Amino acid sequence: MPPQDAQEQDIRELLTDFQAETRKSLADLQSELTRSRQELQDEVKRWDTRFFEFSRDSLNRANTLIASATISVIAGVILLLLRQN
């Protein structure tokens, strides 16, 4: 019987070691998942910022283009009226 008790003790130790390694691996995976989620959130924030900056810049360009076109039309009409007089 003593050898069987020794085997059971060895199996218990192996099982305990396996459980400890499994818990550590799970904790490492959870940590990695948390880090990955944070990186993804940070990247999404960067892309949101870039999108809104691009939108703002596009709006500024459109406003500048409209203002330039309006000024050109008004200047053209004024020059045409001055030329006729």
Side-chain angles (χ1 to χ4, degrees):
M1 279 276 189
Q4 187 175 7
D5 287 341
Q7 283 181 337
E8 288 178 8
Q9 182 63 29
D10 289 344
I11 290 173
R12 282 189 195 111
E13 288 176 9
L14 286 173
L15 182 58
T16 302
D17 290 346
F18 177 73
Q19 287 174 335
E21 288 176 20
T22 303
R23 285 187 182 118
K24 183 179 180 332
S25 294
L26 182 59
D28 290 345
L29 285 172
Q30 288 173 335
S31 174
E32 178 68 23
L33 182 59
T34 301
R35 187 184 61 76
S36 295
R37 284 181 179 159
Q38 186 60 45
E39 286 177 359
L40 180 61
Q41 288 175 348
D42 292 344
E43 188 64 25
V44 167
K45 287 177 185 176
R46 279 193 293 275
W47 278 99
D48 283 349
T49 301
R50 289 178 189 154
F51 172 75
F52 288 118
E53 285 175 1
F54 175 76
S55 297
R56 186 184 65 232
D57 291 345
S58 294
L59 179 61
N60 287 339
R61 283 188 201 105
N63 287 339
T64 301
L65 180 63
I66 291 169
S68 299
T70 303
I71 291 169
S72 297
V73 168
I74 291 171
V77 170
I78 290 173
L79 289 175
L80 184 62
L81 290 173
L82 291 175
R83 190 177 193 196
Q84 289 178 354
N85 288 333

